[in-house]
Each structure stands twice: as C-alpha cells, then as structure tokens.
Amino acid sequence: MRARSASSADAAFLASYKPSDFSRPSVAVDIVALTVIDSLLRVLLIRRAEPPFRGRWALPGGFVRVGDAHRHRGESLDEAVARELDEETGLSVRDVYLEQLGAFGHPDRDPRMRVISVAYYALVRPDLVPTVRGGGDAAHAEWHVVPSRGLRLAFDHDRIVDAARERIRERIHTTSLARSLVARTFTIPELRNVYAIVTGEPQDPGNFRRKFQAMLDARVVERAPGKRITASKPAAVYRFA
Amino acid sequence: MRARSASSADAAFLASYKPSDFSRPSVAVDIVALTVIDSLLRVLLIRRAEPPFRGRWALPGGFVRVGDAHRHRGESLDEAVARELDEETGLSVRDVYLEQLGAFGHPDRDPRMRVISVAYYALVRPDLVPTVRGGGDAAHAEWHVVPSRGLRLAFDHDRIVDAARERIRERIHTTSLARSLVARTFTIPELRNVYAIVTGEPQDPGNFRRKFQAMLDARVVERAPGKRITASKPAAVYRFA
DNA sequence: TAAATAGTGTCTATAAGACATTATCTC
DNA sequence: GAGATAATGTCTTATAGACACTATTTA
C-alpha cells in the first residue's frame, strides 16, 4: 500500500514542509477476538487495571506507533494490530483470521482525550484457546459469552463487539469464516454448531450434511483419521484441506 | 455512541491526567462519491492544486476536526464526512447513501506526514449530479469513469476506489443500494442497467423483471406517472415508495 | 434394550438461468 | 413496414427447507 513517490516538482515543497500544529487524535487498534467454547460464542476481554473505566472489561488493544515525522517510519494499521495481538494474547496473525471492522471515532468515547480506534476482529480456533495468555498488562483476560448481557464494557466497546457479531453473521455463508471457529480437526455436528451459533438459527442436520457433502466434493474439506467419542454414536473426523 | 461516564473512582485520575506527547497521526476522511452517467460507473475526483501530487486527481476529503483536548469537543467521523461532503460537493448526507469503508493507514501513503484516512463511499443519484458543485479548493472536480485505467490517483486513492467498487458489488444483491444509483424516477431497464454495471454482468431482461415484480408486490417500488421516451418503445416509469 | 445422536434419503417449494414470444413505439 | 426495445411467459435446473428414516454407539 506504499504510495507512489511524489513528483520532483513536489520535492522543494516537501523539503520545506513542516507539519503544522493542528491538534491530532491518538489512534488505537482494538481487537475483537472471537472463539467458540462450550457451544457459546465468546470474546476475549481484559479487566482494566487503570482509569478510565478501572475494573471494567475492555477489548485488548493499544495505540498505533506513528513514528516521529521523518525520522521513524512508524507502523501500518495491520502491523499495529499484529503487534497488539501478539503482545496481548500471544497469538500470531498466521494462526487467526483477522479483518478490519472499521473506525470508531466519537469524540466522547474516551474521557481522557480524543482517541480514534480502528477495530479488527480475530477468529480464534478453539484448539488455540489454551495457548492464549493474557500478556503484559492483560493479567486478567477472560473469554466472555457474547452477547455479554449486563456486562457493560469500557469505552464504546459494546458497540464494537456488536459490529463484529453482525459482521460474522453477514459473512458466514459467503466466506469460509467457519473454518477459523472450529478446531483443526472437527466433526460435522461441530461445524454445524458453529453455523448455528453464528447465524443464531438451528441448522437442520440433513440439509447441513448436503452442504458439507458439497465441500467434500470440492475438496475444501477431507477425512481425517480417527473418530470423535461422544455420549452416543461416535462421529467421523474431518479437516480443512 | 457516547461513552458512559467514567466511575467516580476515576474522577481524581482524570482531573490530573495530561495527554502525553506521544506523536499522533493526522486523521482524514476521504469520500468515494459514486454515480452512474451514460451507463458508466463514475467517481468524483478533484485535481490537486497543491503538493504533494500536484496536478494529480484525488478523492475529496479533509482532516477531522479533533478539538483541543478538553476545551473543544471536536467532531465525530460521521460528522466530519458530512461536513466534507457538503463543503466539497454541496451534497447533503440526507440526499446520498453514505457508509464507512474502512481505515487506510500505511505509513508512506502521504509523503508530508503520517496521515490515517477513514474512507467512506457515497452513492449519488444521477438526478443530483447537476447540483454537485466543486466547492472550496475543489475548483476542478470531475466525474471519472471507474475503473479509471491509466489514471493514477494521488496517495493510495486507487486502492480506496477499488475497495469501494468491491464493496458495492458485494452489497448490490443483499441491500437496496441500487436505489441510490438511479434517478428518483426510473424505468425497469434503467434499474437493470445499474445492476449490470455494479455486478459487471449483463442482466437478463426477463429474469430481472421477475425480481422487479417481487419488489412491486412488496410495495418497495411503485408506478410513477408518465412514460420514458426512448428510441423505440417507451418504458413505464417507477419510483421507490 | 433404551436412549441418544450420527448419518441418509426423499419430497416439495422457491429461486435462478436460458430463452422464445408478444407488444408498442419511432423512423 | 422495418427496426428496436419494452414487456411477458415458459421450461429447466439448482438450491433450500421440512422431515421421515436408518445406523451405531453408550449406559
């Protein structure tokens, strides 16, 4: 996304240009990390140890490192969110599905100062959940059920979580998003459960199987060795190819 | 989107809080204003009169007014884009479909300084196009064909236009987005043409009519008086209800 | 054997693509 | 009347929902 270099005609201008002292906002990235635990959609929240909203639950995130005018290059938004994801959860961008949600910039969203937040959502496979560590100041990190009824989050983070919830509902049928919400190996009922959780509608086993069969035919998924032991009939195990 | 007030426990902290001098980016809003003229998708571009990228075409936009810490409240992103839309095009947010596209924040996107841009797209009904004036420093505003082949825009604006193009393609069938790209009164072929332009695929007249009939049945659209004179058989005129 | 859930098959309603046909205007 | 395009109808196929039924395990 590097901009093309400015024309030579601009060079003189740039050499003499001094960023004016217009007041500027701080810019943060916030992460809505979602997973499925015990058949419930969950979001990773961190209990704030400092004001404002001390003691409230909030999304993991932090400020974008902007660099110092011409000396330091600074980081892109994608780089910032990758860094924060690693710092606050120990997760790598390679292991999760990560996508920008949008910018949230109401003047009153942070009582300290003007902060514009660029929110991302991250889908975390359930088998990676045990590896998530609340690092740094994230000593108190927990996976909370979504929607977190009665749990009023810090800042405008309720709205950001709602936006993420809505986004995955829109995308579940047109993308392979569900892939990032089941363990690496999974059964048909487990995958079906993800669709049910995200859409909010129960999924018919027979009809879902037909959809799954199409994924098998298209070699999107394949059989994996072994069987999943349940309370009744064991289920065949699959994985994404 | 007002944040809930911080607890009283936070009050003391806030009173003594001074925003630290971390370097901050400038934050801008850029507008991808789209319309249909002569059966072609068009984007409103403004010729830059100042460096950087002097003489290049760019999206209309401007900096978000942040306010001064505690004295001035500043404007939200939605307020900023509404103001810029008015200033640079004379259009009101009430007259267009306006939606946030996302944030673009590569460190090198602006050679002057670090600028993070929150992009919006605006759908402008063709009958409003004559009222669009390039106001302020937008002395040279033109509706350019999308994709603007060979026309390399300033900054990373090519990518932003591409993102808008992709977004409306995704949304055309699931939302009533087409409504904002036809004149207030329109014929079935005109509406069909909008779908063809946005999807990039020709739309079968017979099949499209069936879809349109469903809109009539649902009272989404209704007959309008008069007929549209064409080179051959005149077409009936409709409007959205 | 009973209970539970995995897995299969079938019927039907709806939506979508292809395409032939008719209607009504301008030139 | 010729040409053009609006408007209509029909056939076929793909998709999706409802639901009955069979299979295989644990308790």
Side-chain angles (χ1 to χ4, degrees):
Chain A
M1 216 188 273
R2 166 177 282 266
R4 292 169 300 280
S5 60
S7 71
S8 60
D10 292 343
F13 173 88
L14 286 175
S16 65
Y17 183 88
K18 288 179 184 162
S20 47
D21 259 12
F22 289 135
S23 50
R24 301 187 179 119
S26 297
V27 174
V29 288
D30 286 320
I31 303 171
V32 184
L34 299 170
T35 195
V36 172
I37 303 173
D38 298 339
S39 293
L40 293 170
L41 186 68
R42 312 252 181 171
V43 59
L44 185 67
L45 297 177
I46 289 169
R47 185 162 223 136
R48 286 185 59 81
E50 302 295 333
F53 299 104
R54 163 181 260 161
R56 286 264 189 94
W57 294 95
L59 296 173
F63 291 106
V64 177
R65 291 178 184 166
V66 162
D68 187 357
H70 298 286
R71 289 204 296 278
H72 306 296
R73 180 175 165 280
E75 61 190 359
S76 70
L77 297 173
D78 288 351
E79 285 163 359
V81 75
R83 176 179 53 76
E84 288 291 342
L85 187 70
D86 176 49
E87 287 179 9
E88 303 229 25
T89 71
L91 290 165
S92 162
V93 286
R94 304 186 62 90
D95 294 329
V96 303
Y97 179 85
L98 191 63
E99 186 179 297
Q100 192 191 112
L101 253 185
F104 294 76
H106 195 283
D108 300 328
R109 60 185 298 280
D110 190 319
R112 290 169 298 182
M113 56 184 172
R114 186 66 194 270
V115 180
I116 289 170
S117 174
V118 180
Y120 285 72
Y121 69 98
L123 305 182
V124 182
R125 292 204 321 265
D127 55 307
L128 292 177
V129 166
T131 74
V132 173
R133 52 167 176 76
D137 57 345
H140 301 90
E142 284 182 12
W143 291 98
H144 284 261
V145 174
V146 177
S148 38
R149 283 175 304 198
L151 188 69
R152 298 168 75 198
L153 305 187
F155 308 106
D156 55 356
H157 289 184
D158 300 278
R159 291 176 183 277
I160 298 178
V161 172
D162 286 347
R165 184 84 183 70
E166 183 57 29
R167 178 72 68 91
I168 64 170
R169 180 153 42 209
E170 286 172 0
R171 290 239 196 291
I172 184 76
H173 282 122
T174 53
T175 70
S176 57
L177 175 160
R179 166 182 197 146
S180 304
L181 285 176
V182 283
R184 197 191 292 273
T185 61
F186 58 91
T187 66
I188 296 180
E190 283 167 4
L191 186 64
R192 175 160 53 89
N193 188 239
V194 168
Y195 276 79
I197 289 167
V198 172
T199 62
E201 303 285 334
Q203 302 291 302
D204 181 272
N207 299 336
F208 187 83
R209 183 183 177 71
R210 189 167 43 200
K211 185 194 298 235
F212 190 81
Q213 187 62 52
M215 297 170 80
L216 275 171
D217 295 344
R219 305 244 192 265
V220 175
V221 291
E222 62 187 14
R223 222 16 240 289
K227 289 191 172 192
R228 179 83 85 251
I229 301 303
T230 71
S232 64
K233 177 179 175 180
V237 175
Y238 299 86
R239 66 179 161 225
F240 281 89
Chain B
M1 217 189 271
R2 166 177 282 265
R4 292 168 300 280
S5 59
S7 72
S8 60
D10 293 343
F13 173 87
L14 286 176
S16 65
Y17 184 87
K18 289 179 183 157
S20 47
D21 259 13
F22 289 135
S23 49
R24 301 186 178 121
S26 297
V27 174
V29 288
D30 286 321
I31 302 172
V32 185
L34 298 171
T35 195
V36 172
I37 303 173
D38 298 338
S39 293
L40 294 169
L41 186 68
R42 311 253 182 170
V43 59
L44 185 67
L45 297 178
I46 289 168
R47 186 163 222 135
R48 287 186 59 80
E50 303 294 331
F53 298 104
R54 163 181 260 160
R56 285 265 189 92
W57 294 95
L59 295 173
F63 291 106
V64 176
R65 291 178 184 166
V66 162
D68 188 357
H70 299 287
R71 289 204 295 279
H72 307 296
R73 180 176 164 279
E75 61 189 358
S76 70
L77 298 173
D78 288 351
E79 287 163 357
V81 75
R83 176 179 54 73
E84 288 291 344
L85 187 69
D86 175 49
E87 287 178 8
E88 303 229 27
T89 71
L91 290 166
S92 161
V93 285
R94 304 185 62 90
D95 294 329
V96 304
Y97 180 85
L98 192 62
E99 187 178 298
Q100 192 191 110
L101 206 48
F104 295 77
H106 195 282
D108 300 327
R109 61 185 297 281
D110 190 319
R112 290 170 297 182
M113 57 186 172
R114 186 67 194 268
V115 180
I116 289 169
S117 173
V118 180
Y120 285 72
Y121 69 99
L123 304 182
V124 182
R125 292 204 320 266
D127 55 307
L128 292 177
V129 166
T131 73
V132 173
R133 53 169 175 74
D137 57 344
H140 301 90
E142 284 181 12
W143 290 99
H144 283 261
V145 175
V146 176
S148 38
R149 282 174 303 196
L151 188 69
R152 298 168 74 197
L153 305 187
F155 308 106
D156 56 356
H157 289 185
D158 300 279
R159 290 177 184 276
I160 298 178
V161 172
D162 286 347
R165 184 85 184 70
E166 183 57 28
R167 178 73 69 91
I168 64 171
R169 180 154 41 209
E170 286 173 1
R171 291 237 194 292
I172 185 75
H173 282 123
T174 54
T175 70
S176 57
L177 175 161
R179 166 183 197 145
S180 305
L181 285 176
V182 282
R184 197 192 293 273
T185 61
F186 58 92
T187 67
I188 297 180
E190 282 166 4
L191 186 64
R192 176 161 53 91
N193 189 239
V194 168
Y195 277 77
I197 289 166
V198 172
T199 63
E201 302 285 334
Q203 302 290 303
D204 180 272
N207 298 337
F208 187 83
R209 183 181 177 73
R210 188 167 46 200
K211 184 194 299 237
F212 190 82
Q213 186 63 50
M215 297 170 82
L216 275 172
D217 294 344
R219 306 244 191 263
V220 175
V221 291
E222 61 188 14
R223 224 10 243 289
K227 290 192 170 190
R228 180 82 86 252
I229 301 303
T230 71
S232 65
K233 178 179 175 180
V237 175
Y238 299 85
R239 66 180 161 224
F240 280 89

